[in-house]
């Protein structure tokens, strides 16, 4: 049995301490810690990396604070369109879903697709039909309704903006709303999962990087597992998650070095603000971002753990 670790994120962007109350910060840190602990407990008990990232992501999807699952933002027509993906670094199998509504936990649908379908990516009504066939839990529109999110939509519509996650138009804050988790289990297997509610006031049908394997999510036991959060179009154009894997595999770079290069030298020059979390097959963890902050946390079998929001020293 080897070392094991998990890392999570809940979005990145212009996240300033001056714009957040002490109560808000405490609530975010509590939710991050709960998600980290949920995934870590599975790893500690000898569970798989896939099960750990699934459970951690479900925890984040169930929290209204994050733009995924229950906390998803509204599209331009006042609906919800959720995306998610998951990848197993041992088998290189993956599952993804986009443009769904009312499925309580999109990441569970992505996992069902990975395990029980010969296909990888489902969208819209076809994805929801598959969810019903697999007996996944659905919720009413009231479950996903948040007055805060609805007011964000109205404000965005007044200014005719497409807003990245729960941006506050009044104070100019930007936050890229995605949640995700990466893990390395005791057997050296890695996995990654990502889930999002998209962008406030986005046109129906727009798809970002979260459900795109290689862009927002990637896992391979040869190298690493990566989950991204940021301006999805730029992460797709950069094939951001896969780019980290490629640098590690073909240039023999470390996880942290490869992630730093992608975040600072590949994404930033084209306007790709955001970040990513990563873990390699030796359970090394890295949390990288080029924005003012990123909701993030990690826990390692050697005792290291952290949950943070703002810019600090790198783990």
């Amino acid at each position: 049995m080897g070392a094991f670790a998990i890392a999570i994120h809940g979005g990145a962007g212009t996240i300033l301490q001056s714009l957040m109350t002490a109560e808000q910060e405490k609530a975010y840190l509590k939710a991050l810690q709960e998600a980290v602990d949920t995934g870590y407990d599975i790893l500690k008990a000898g569970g798989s990396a896939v099960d750990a990232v699934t459970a951690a992501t479900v925890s984040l999807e169930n929290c209204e604070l994050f733009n995924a699952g229950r906390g998803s933002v509204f599209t331009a027509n006042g609906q919800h369109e959720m995306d998610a993906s998951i990848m197993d670094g041992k088998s290189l199998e993956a599952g993804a879903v986009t443009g769904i509504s009312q499925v309580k936990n999109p990441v569970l649908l992505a996992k069902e697709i990975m395990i029980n379908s010969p296909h990888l990516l489902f969208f819209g009504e076809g994805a929801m039909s598959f969810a019903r066939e697999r007996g996944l839990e659905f919720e009413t529109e009231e479950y996903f309704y948040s007055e805060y999110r609805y007011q964000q939509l109205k404000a965005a519509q007044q200014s005719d903006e497409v807003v990245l996650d729960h941006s506050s138009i009044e104070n100019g804050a930007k936050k890229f709303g995605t949640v995700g988790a990466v893990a390395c289990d005791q057997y050296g297997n890695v996995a990654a999962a990502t889930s999002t509610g998209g962008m406030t006031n986005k046109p129906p049908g727009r798809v970002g990087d979260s459900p795109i394997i290689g862009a927002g999510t990637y896992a391979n036991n040869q190298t690493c597992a990566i989950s991204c959060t940021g301006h999805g179009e730029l992460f797709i154009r950069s094939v951001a998650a896969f780019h980290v894997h490629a640098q590690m595999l073909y240039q023999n770079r470390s996880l942290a070095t490869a992630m730093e290069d992608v975040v600072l030298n590949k994404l930033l020059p084209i306007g790709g603000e955001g970040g990513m979390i990563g873990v390699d097959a030796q359970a090394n963890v890295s949390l990288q971002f080029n924005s003012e902050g990123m909701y993030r946390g990690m826990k390692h079998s050697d005792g290291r753990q952290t949950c943070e929001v703002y810019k600090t020293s790198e783990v």
Side-chain angles (χ1 to χ4, degrees), residues 17-160:
Q17 193 164 11
S18 60
L19 301 178
M20 189 180 300
T21 67
E23 291 76 17
Q24 288 173 326
E25 182 178 345
K26 183 178 179 181
Y28 275 112
L29 291 174
K30 181 176 183 290
L32 290 170
Q33 190 66 60
E34 288 177 354
V36 166
D37 289 343
T38 296
Y40 183 85
D41 288 347
I42 290 173
L43 296 174
K44 185 177 181 180
S48 72
V50 167
D51 287 345
V53 298
T54 301
T57 304
V58 164
S59 178
L60 294 167
E61 287 179 337
N62 289 343
C63 179
E64 288 184 293
L65 295 173
F66 302 106
N67 178 18
R70 187 174 191 178
S72 294
V73 298
F74 287 93
T75 64
N77 62 359
Q79 304 297 314
H80 294 98
E81 289 184 352
M82 300 178 289
D83 308 330
S85 63
I86 190 168
M87 187 167 183
D88 182 350
K90 180 180 180 180
S91 65
L92 300 187
E93 293 179 338
V97 62
T98 184
I100 63 169
S101 62
Q102 295 189 278
V103 176
K104 182 179 180 181
N105 294 111
V107 72
L108 293 182
L109 178 51
K111 186 179 180 183
E112 286 290 334
I113 292 169
M114 177 177 72
I115 295 172
N116 295 300
S117 170
H119 310 296
L120 191 154
L121 175 62
F122 279 75
F123 78 95
E125 186 53 46
M128 293 164 66
S129 294
F130 187 81
R132 294 185 188 98
E133 291 173 9
R134 300 303 308 171
L136 293 187
E137 188 172 357
F138 279 66
E139 290 288 352
T140 64
E141 287 297 329
E142 286 73 22
Y143 174 84
F144 297 97
Y145 180 86
S146 163
E147 183 63 24
Y148 174 56
R149 296 280 192 241
Y150 185 69
Q151 292 305 320
Q152 287 175 343
L153 172 63
K154 291 303 176 186
Q157 289 175 332
Q158 288 175 7
S159 61
D160 197 29

Side-chain angles (χ1 to χ4, degrees), residues 201-281:
N201 200 35
K202 77 177 182 71
R206 176 266 180 187
V207 179
D209 66 309
S210 295
I212 307 299
I213 299 301
T217 306
Y218 191 74
N220 189 316
N221 275 9
Q222 293 185 79
T223 54
C224 63
I226 300 290
S227 176
C228 300
T229 175
H231 195 151
E233 283 74 6
L234 287 307
F235 279 68
I236 294 171
R237 285 164 51 187
S238 300
V239 200
F242 183 82
H243 213 131
V244 175
H245 157 77
Q247 289 196 23
M248 293 179 69
L249 185 64
Y250 303 123
Q251 297 181 314
N252 201 30
R253 287 188 164 185
S254 68
L255 174 71
T257 300
M259 287 176 60
E260 182 178 18
D261 181 66
V262 172
V263 170
L264 298 182
N265 301 326
K266 302 298 187 295
L267 286 166
L268 201 55
I270 62 172
E273 185 180 354
M276 58 175 62
I277 56 173
V279 62
D280 66 19

Side-chain angles (χ1 to χ4, degrees), residues 299-313:
K299 196 168 185 178
H300 196 282
S301 57
D302 66 8
R304 287 179 296 143
Q305 61 176 312
T306 184
C307 285
E308 298 175 303
V309 177
Y310 317 109
K311 271 189 176 178
T312 62
S313 60

